Amino acid sequence: MACAILRRALSLTAGGAHATPRVAAAFASASTSSSSSVVAPLRSPLDDRLLRLLRSEITYLSERRPPYQPPSSFKSFAVEDRPGEQWVRLHAARANAGAGAEEVKVEATMFDGAAEPVPDDAPLFRRVESLERGPRLHLSLIVEVTRGDRVLGFICSAWPDDLAVRHVLTLRAGGSDGVGCGGRDFEKLGAEEREAVTKFLKEREVDDELAGFLHDYVANKEKMELLRWLKTIESFLNK
């Protein structure tokens, strides 16, 4: 609009004479300003509100419930954790006299289930206890014990204070796909066999203590992943 007015002013100068220096300078300035200015996009009120909510949640998680620096080991296990992955991996090497070297690997999922809630008709003290304790969360574990070309596999359920074996597998070593050679349901084994399997895993520190450690580790990892995700969304909206 400003340029149009200036052009009109120039056209009205007497007899097509050259424009006065003042008018010419104003016209040149307006033309340059018009061609070089960029209109910045406006952020919607919804974006501003979302940013405020995100920053409030980030502040709460960072200051009132901050995640801690996760440990890099547990007993004889080294812990391997990569940001963004939905698995936690542990591995340990053991030297058995007369049996050669042995490697133990554990892969744990994030929380993938919970125990059935206490029924409404349960005694009052049990319902109160359940509410105070909160949900009893579940993790799945895959355990591999390798000795030479022999691999024993175990699929386990990890509760906050208990580790339960579900299946026992025999695998072939040396293959990336871990082809199974056979497996048994743990509950269908004889009492002596179940006791032997439980003792075998405890000797390798795959026990209730490991289940409790993994529950604390995964709860902290979920908090770290949530905080990282919220900050990613905040930076995207803040552009």
Side-chain angles (χ1 to χ4, degrees):
M1 185 66 181
C3 293
I5 294 173
L6 287 173
R7 291 193 190 96
R8 178 63 177 167
L10 289 175
S11 68
L12 295 176
T13 52
H18 293 293
T20 62
R22 182 177 298 175
V23 173
F27 176 74
S29 175
S31 299
T32 303
S33 174
S34 175
S35 61
S36 61
S37 61
V38 177
V39 178
L42 295 176
R43 193 158 58 200
S44 72
L46 181 61
D47 287 344
D48 288 334
R49 176 173 174 76
L50 184 56
L51 268 174
R52 287 196 300 270
L53 291 173
L54 282 170
R55 287 167 180 163
S56 175
E57 185 69 15
I58 290 170
T59 300
Y60 175 77
L61 289 173
S62 301
E63 297 180 0
R64 298 192 180 184
R65 298 177 54 209
Y68 55 83
Q69 182 64 32
S72 59
S73 64
F74 173 74
K75 294 187 176 181
S76 63
F77 288 101
V79 181
E80 178 187 343
D81 181 17
R82 298 177 183 175
E85 284 195 351
Q86 298 299 301
W87 289 85
V88 178
R89 295 174 174 85
L90 299 89
H91 57 88
R94 293 167 49 89
N96 294 318
E102 184 178 272
E103 185 179 16
V104 182
K105 295 181 181 179
V106 179
E107 293 191 352
T109 65
M110 305 295 277
F111 294 124
D112 59 2
E116 291 289 333
V118 175
D120 294 338
D121 58 353
L124 179 60
F125 77 92
R126 284 194 59 197
R127 285 181 284 160
V128 172
E129 184 182 53
S130 176
L131 287 173
E132 290 177 345
R133 186 179 60 233
R136 186 172 162 82
L137 300 177
H138 174 271
L139 302 171
S140 294
L141 302 187
I142 299 175
V143 182
E144 288 186 4
V145 180
T146 304
R147 187 186 299 170
D149 60 351
R150 299 169 57 198
V151 181
L152 276 177
F154 306 87
I155 298 175
C156 307
S157 289
W159 301 97
D161 53 0
D162 177 56
L163 187 139
V165 182
R166 287 156 45 196
H167 299 283
V168 181
L169 309 171
T170 55
L171 308 171
R172 284 203 301 266
S176 60
D177 54 356
V179 178
C181 296
R184 296 282 302 278
D185 188 324
F186 182 76
E187 293 301 324
K188 294 181 179 179
L189 298 176
E192 292 185 359
E193 292 176 312
R194 292 198 302 269
E195 184 178 349
V197 168
T198 302
K199 180 181 178 182
F200 178 85
L201 290 174
K202 281 186 176 180
E203 289 174 350
R204 287 147 185 84
E205 299 174 329
V206 180
D207 52 18
D208 298 347
E209 286 187 57
L210 177 63
F213 167 80
L214 286 171
H215 270 258
D216 291 341
Y217 192 100
V218 168
N220 185 67
K221 177 178 171 64
E222 285 201 340
K223 194 180 298 183
M224 294 177 67
E225 296 293 344
L226 174 60
L227 197 55
R228 184 180 296 109
W229 180 77
L230 290 173
K231 289 181 177 180
T232 300
I233 299 299
E234 180 198 21
S235 64
F236 176 79
L237 292 174
N238 209 25
K239 288 182 180 179

